[in-house]
């Protein structure tokens, strides 16, 4: 007996505005900075690449996924401006789906799983006891593997977000014109939610060039604009692997009314070793 399994594909052309700009927090997203680490051109941020999968996710799951869906993806290969990429989501056993973002050579630049409902790993994420936003320190310590704040809760970050902020991110960063991201009190694009980890981390530690390697996000409730969101989190671990230094952080985005909107775990290279 065979069962028809759902598959969705959406293609797009990768883009990056002002790829020659070195005056950015993470220079691997500029041509000159990326070449210093062995890349042929600026690499596009993983959260942006993931954001280009959102139309396929909405086509498959509808807006229910924005309020009660999840992903667990790994960034395997760089995506460069001008690359023709294809998001493919294919149903698998157990109610989850495989997600692959294919690069121009047909290789999986991003691979992982997505699903509707609660993720199987959600209970593994660690909560922070620090729930009230705190100001940034005047002198933020540099993150090193020796002085990483392993096991510590990080400084909560407040982020006011307006309807214009929400629509501008979708329009300018993702080139996504879905009406979900515009109008009176629009939804926040999942790419914007995924990106919240980086200003949150930089609120507690100083980072140089970084490369995002894994993203696990659970959406819990509608994330809307015109409020101040609070991002909290816990520094899980720091380690060395194949010459790279990694850190893992858990986080949560909370609305003004105290509702948890999304929880996540990000794994990131913060000291880039040899790419050979």
């Amino acid at each position: 007996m065979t069962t028809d399994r759902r598959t969705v594909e959406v293609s797009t052309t990768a883009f990056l505005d002002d790829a020659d700009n070195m005056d950015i927090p993470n220079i691997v997203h500029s041509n000159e900075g990326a070449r210093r680490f062995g890349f042929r051109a600026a690499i596009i941020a993983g959260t942006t690449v993931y954001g280009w999968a959102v139309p396929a996710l909405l086509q498959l799951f509808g807006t229910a996924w924005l309020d009660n869906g999840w992903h667990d993806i790994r960034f395997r290969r760089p995506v460069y401006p001008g690359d023709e990429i294809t998001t493919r989501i294919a149903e698998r056993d157990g109610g989850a789906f495989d997600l692959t973002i294919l690069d121009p050579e047909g290789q999986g630049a991003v691979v992982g799983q997505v699903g509707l409902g609660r993720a199987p790993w959600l209970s593994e994420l660690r909560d922070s006891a620090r729930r009230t936003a705190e100001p940034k320190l005047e002198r933020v310590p540099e993150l090193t593997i020796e002085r990483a704040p392993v096991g510590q809760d990080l400084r909560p970050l407040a982020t006011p977000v307006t309807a214009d902020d929400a629509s501008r991110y979708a329009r300018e960063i993702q080139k996504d014109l879905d009406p979900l991201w515009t109008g009176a009190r629009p939804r926040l694009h999942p790419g914007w939610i995924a990106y919240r980890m980086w200003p949150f981390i930089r609120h507690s530690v100083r980072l140089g060039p970084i490369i995002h390697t894994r993203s696990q996000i659970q959406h819990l409730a509608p994330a809307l604009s015109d409020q101040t969101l609070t991002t909290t989190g816990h520094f899980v671990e720091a380690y060395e692997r194949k010459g790279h230094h990694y850190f893992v952080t858990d986080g949560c985005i909370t609305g003004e009314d105290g509702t948890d909107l999304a929880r996540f775990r990000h794994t990131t290279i913060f000291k880039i070793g040899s790419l050979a």
Side-chain angles (χ1 to χ4, degrees):
M1 176 178 176
T2 59
T3 302
D4 292 334
R5 296 187 177 183
R6 291 174 288 173
T7 300
V8 172
E9 286 193 3
V10 174
S11 296
T12 191
T13 302
F15 58 88
L16 179 63
D17 294 334
D18 201 9
D20 290 321
N21 181 19
M22 282 283 287
D23 187 23
I24 54 176
N26 189 3
I27 61 171
V28 299
H29 303 317
S30 69
N31 288 322
E32 180 183 342
R35 288 172 183 138
R36 291 179 185 179
F37 295 98
F39 298 99
R40 62 176 172 83
I43 61 174
I44 298 175
T47 53
T48 303
V49 176
Y50 153 68
W52 291 326
V54 169
L57 289 162
L58 292 176
Q59 184 177 329
L60 185 64
F61 298 118
T63 56
W65 186 85
L66 298 173
D67 305 336
N68 188 30
W70 58 272
H71 77 248
D72 181 358
I73 56 177
R74 297 177 186 269
F75 300 91
R76 294 284 182 83
R77 295 166 63 91
V79 173
Y80 298 105
D83 281 356
E84 297 292 334
I85 60 174
T86 298
T87 298
R88 178 181 298 154
I89 306 177
E91 191 171 7
R92 65 199 297 257
D93 292 336
F97 292 74
D98 290 320
L99 181 148
T100 307
I101 300 179
L102 300 167
D103 67 13
E105 287 73 45
Q107 300 295 314
V110 180
V111 298
Q113 288 79 45
V114 297
L116 195 60
R118 293 304 194 249
W121 39 261
L122 180 59
S123 63
E124 300 172 11
L125 305 190
R126 304 184 190 184
D127 288 319
S128 171
R130 298 166 77 167
R131 304 288 291 181
T132 302
E134 301 174 21
K136 190 173 184 177
L137 295 173
E138 287 189 13
R139 303 184 71 177
V140 178
E142 180 182 4
L143 180 63
T144 67
I145 201 166
E146 296 81 12
R147 297 194 299 272
V150 175
Q152 297 180 29
D153 294 338
L154 301 176
R155 302 177 72 82
L157 172 67
T159 306
V161 56
T162 66
D164 185 60
D165 294 330
S167 61
R168 186 171 58 250
Y169 174 87
R171 182 179 66 251
E172 297 180 2
I173 303 300
Q174 301 290 166
K175 299 290 193 291
D176 188 336
L177 303 181
D178 193 305
L180 286 167
W181 327 123
T182 62
R185 207 177 187 206
R187 288 178 177 268
L188 299 171
H189 194 282
W192 188 94
I193 292 171
Y195 182 78
R196 287 306 90 204
M197 179 61 84
W198 311 129
F200 168 67
I201 294 294
R202 290 189 172 96
H203 196 58
S204 290
V205 297
R206 181 159 48 91
L207 297 172
I210 58 174
I211 298 176
H212 192 184
T213 63
R214 185 179 182 183
S215 174
Q216 298 164 264
I217 296 182
Q218 171 74 64
H219 297 281
L220 298 168
L224 306 177
S225 67
D226 296 306
Q227 61 176 316
T228 296
L229 304 179
T230 301
T231 306
T232 59
H234 184 85
F235 199 103
V236 178
E237 63 176 325
Y239 59 92
E240 180 179 356
R241 182 172 178 266
K242 296 183 178 179
H244 302 305
H245 290 185
Y246 292 77
F247 70 86
V248 179
T249 44
D250 289 350
C252 181
I253 298 175
T254 304
E256 281 186 348
D257 64 356
T259 300
D260 289 345
L261 306 178
R263 298 189 65 191
F264 45 82
R265 172 172 287 181
H266 282 353
T267 304
T268 306
I269 295 173
F270 69 95
K271 183 177 180 182
I272 305 170
S274 173
L275 297 175

